[in-house]
Amino acid sequence: MQRTLVLWVPDWPVIAAVREGLAREGAPVAVMAANRVVACSPAARSEGVRAGQRRREAQSLCTSLVVVAVDEGRDHRLFAPLIDAVEALVAGVQVVRPGLLAIAARGPAGYYGGERAAAIALRGAVLAEAVHDVRIGVADGPFAAELAARTASPAEPVRIVAAEASASFLAEFSVTTLGDPELATLLGRLGVRTLGDFAALPADAVRDRFGAAGAHRHALAGAADATVLVPRTPPPDLERVLELEPPLDRVDQLAFAVRQLADELVETLTSRLLVATAIRIGFRDEHGTETERAWLHPRSFRASEIVDRVRWQLSGETRTAGALGSVRAPEADRGPGLRSAITRVRIVPESVDDLAHHEPGLWGTAPDERVHHALSRVQSLLGHDAVLTAQRGGGRTLAERTMLVPWGDRAVITRPRDRPWPGALPLPAPATVFPSRHAVTVVDAHGAIVSIDDRMRLSAAPAGFAPAAGGTTRPVASWAGPWPLDEQWWSIRRRRLHRLQVVDAAGVAWLLVLEGTSWWAEARYD
């Protein structure tokens, strides 16, 4: 039987919520999922709150209870530094769940001179991460080791069950510790209430009655845990950091210094058969101020493109340092200056992909590559925002649906297209949307300006429209609408407009908008 060391951080979902700033440390906190308590803080337990309780019951017991929704992503993200601290001392760490780690005890025990010494060393590493309560159990198999950790106390945080003694250690535990409520209820009806009673039953009879799942839990109860630890593979360390001494305050100097760092990063990724599709670049200046930004790429980053992103990110600093550039006019050919000299550059691949997914096809991808290189070249010469691509989003108006995104960036969709948008213009949408609306005048057959009342009735049928500044009137051959839109009617930012679709005598369709008392030409149907 494999000796297993289990490290447990009690109430980790609560600790993660506190570290995220969702609750105050020491306050009564309960993490909820489906209106049931998943974990609670010691302060909440002192008021009678327990895991498994309904939300209403927990709040009736503790009126000051702070309720936080469960978030597995938050738990995993904030537990990662603790995993790194343990992996800095031992290898082969299996993450059972956030707050619970399992490790084969043989290696650490041999290195540190015993199981207790290994447990104390690992506990100290986690305590150094500002965690106040860490408990460790060592026993035969992960199941017994976890129960040993859970029965440890703050006064005795390390509990070691001697080899071959796990069966007697488990015998007094309730069958509910097996984590199968249905099986525990059935065993209770049969008079089997402890793990020792369950382990005493014949294995063949248990398999015949409860199936493979019941047989597995029977083995756990008898300390015959055959669960094999599956240690995680630590992610590769791809972060690259450049410490600058002396600090640099010129963009061209920084770009030259970062070039070697970018080459090293790309070569490291290539050696692992990876490419970076998103990177994060961070700077620290001589005053200790840190800034960072994530950059995306439509394909994958090359070293020269990483250097370009460094220059573009620093361009914001140079715009505010115009005075510095004018003072140092004799050195203008060296590039613009920064407000503060940079002492540290950090580049981290945020998203990587297999190199095979980015290899050129059998016959190449020449047109796409030429377009990409041409647009990237323009960006390198004129700046990141010099090349924009159109993206579609959601919204009720045409202007809201249109987004311009710098080449290579991924659009941040704040208005998803797949949502219903009451009041949106019915399909088909116009092909040409003017960058800015053109003021027009819409008139009826008698030359009077057409208006729309509160009941969405036109004062008269539109007979023609012309630019408001003067110009040729386009006769209206047919029209449809109006299509009303009334946004935020409850606030001072209320916006009310009417859309009218018209076809002129030449057969060209237009989208006209009445907002207030003014008519505008917003788009054309090509």
Side-chain angles (χ1 to χ4, degrees):
M1 181 65 63
Q2 183 184 37
R3 296 287 287 174
T4 305
L5 183 151
V6 167
L7 184 147
W8 176 49
V9 180
D11 309 323
W12 176 255
V14 175
I15 296 174
V18 171
R19 291 193 171 194
E20 191 85 340
L22 302 177
R24 179 176 49 83
E25 187 172 1
V29 182
V31 178
M32 298 274 185
N35 281 326
R36 285 192 179 272
V37 178
V38 175
C40 55
S41 65
R45 281 195 295 272
S46 67
E47 299 288 338
V49 179
R50 296 291 183 271
Q53 287 179 342
R54 291 186 178 275
R55 176 172 181 160
R56 181 174 297 178
E57 180 184 0
Q59 289 179 322
S60 67
L61 292 170
C62 180
T63 56
S64 60
L65 186 67
V66 178
V67 176
V68 179
V70 68
D71 186 345
E72 294 184 0
R74 175 184 66 221
D75 296 344
H76 280 277
R77 182 179 70 255
L78 296 178
F79 193 60
L82 278 66
I83 302 173
D84 294 339
V86 173
E87 287 181 335
L89 300 181
V90 298
V93 177
Q94 175 180 339
V95 182
V96 181
R97 58 181 174 275
L100 191 67
L101 303 177
I103 308 164
R106 180 180 177 181
Y111 181 81
Y112 288 100
E115 293 175 342
R116 182 170 296 277
I120 292 174
L122 296 179
R123 183 172 182 271
V126 178
L127 289 174
E129 297 294 324
V131 178
H132 306 302
D133 189 6
V134 180
R135 306 181 193 182
I136 294 180
V138 183
D140 297 331
F143 178 69
E146 180 178 347
L147 288 180
R150 290 183 178 276
T151 54
S153 64
E156 294 290 337
V158 177
R159 182 166 186 177
I160 298 177
V161 180
E164 307 299 332
S166 294
S168 58
F169 166 72
L170 294 173
E172 301 302 321
F173 285 92
S174 170
V175 292
T176 57
T177 57
L178 292 171
D180 190 335
E182 185 176 346
L183 177 62
T185 301
L186 184 54
L187 290 175
R189 292 174 181 172
L190 298 175
V192 178
R193 292 181 171 80
T194 66
L195 296 184
D197 296 338
F198 188 32
L201 298 177
D204 293 340
V206 172
R207 178 176 290 276
D208 293 340
R209 177 65 180 84
F210 301 109
H216 172 65
R217 286 169 173 76
H218 180 261
L220 295 180
D225 188 359
T227 304
V228 178
L229 294 181
V230 183
R232 77 162 190 159
T233 301
D237 183 14
L238 301 176
E239 177 180 317
R240 293 294 179 269
V241 176
L242 177 63
E243 301 288 348
L244 298 171
E245 183 59 41
L248 301 179
D249 62 351
R250 309 293 300 180
V251 174
D252 60 327
Q253 294 173 344
L254 282 163
F256 182 80
V258 166
R259 180 60 195 232
Q260 183 177 354
L261 196 69
D263 287 334
E264 181 184 340
L265 175 59
V266 172
E267 289 174 2
T268 302
L269 290 169
T270 304
S271 66
R272 297 176 181 272
L273 301 180
L274 298 172
V275 293
T277 58
I279 61 173
R280 181 171 293 275
I281 301 175
F283 300 108
R284 179 190 296 165
D285 64 20
E286 57 189 349
H287 303 297
T289 304
E290 295 193 7
T291 59
E292 63 178 21
R293 174 178 173 174
W295 295 90
L296 305 176
H297 197 286
R299 289 173 179 79
S300 61
F301 280 101
R302 296 176 297 180
S304 59
E305 292 169 332
I306 294 176
V307 175
D308 284 340
R309 268 60 177 183
V310 170
R311 291 194 295 104
W312 297 343
Q313 188 165 330
L314 291 170
S315 64
E317 298 288 335
T318 62
R319 293 192 189 100
T320 60
L324 177 63
S326 62
V327 171
R328 300 178 65 173
E331 302 177 6
D333 59 324
R334 294 174 53 194
L338 302 171
R339 288 180 298 176
S340 300
I342 302 299
T343 61
R344 185 175 186 264
V345 181
R346 174 174 171 266
I347 304 175
V348 184
E350 281 206 329
S351 178
V352 297
D353 196 9
D354 289 337
L355 178 62
H357 297 164
H358 298 263
E359 292 287 358
L362 180 61
W363 306 110
T365 55
D368 290 343
E369 286 298 323
R370 286 198 297 268
V371 169
H372 169 64
H373 290 318
L375 296 180
S376 298
R377 178 60 178 168
V378 173
Q379 276 187 316
S380 66
L381 294 174
L382 302 181
H384 178 235
D385 297 328
V387 181
L388 304 176
T389 56
Q391 300 285 341
R392 286 180 56 196
R396 295 180 176 86
T397 65
L398 298 176
E400 291 175 345
R401 299 183 197 179
T402 305
M403 297 180 296
L404 295 178
V405 183
W407 172 255
D409 282 7
R410 187 179 300 129
V412 179
I413 305 296
T414 57
R415 299 185 177 92
R417 290 163 45 186
D418 56 355
R419 290 184 184 175
W421 293 100
L425 194 69
L427 296 176
T432 301
V433 180
F434 304 132
S436 58
R437 300 187 302 180
H438 303 296
V440 297
T441 302
V442 182
V443 297
D444 59 17
H446 301 289
I449 296 178
V450 176
S451 62
I452 302 176
D453 62 19
D454 291 339
R455 295 181 177 272
M456 293 178 291
R457 294 177 301 191
L458 275 72
S459 59
F465 67 97
T472 305
T473 299
R474 294 176 180 266
V476 173
S478 59
W479 57 275
W483 313 103
L485 177 60
D486 194 356
E487 290 185 308
Q488 298 186 2
W489 54 267
W490 61 90
S491 72
I492 60 175
R493 293 181 296 177
R494 179 180 183 179
R495 187 184 187 194
R496 189 176 185 183
L497 50 86
H498 300 271
R499 281 77 55 85
L500 195 67
Q501 295 166 319
V502 301
V503 179
D504 63 19
V508 179
W510 302 80
L511 178 66
L512 307 181
V513 178
L514 174 63
E515 186 167 4
T517 59
S518 301
W519 282 96
W520 306 85
E522 190 171 66
R524 183 177 64 240
Y525 292 84
D526 295 331

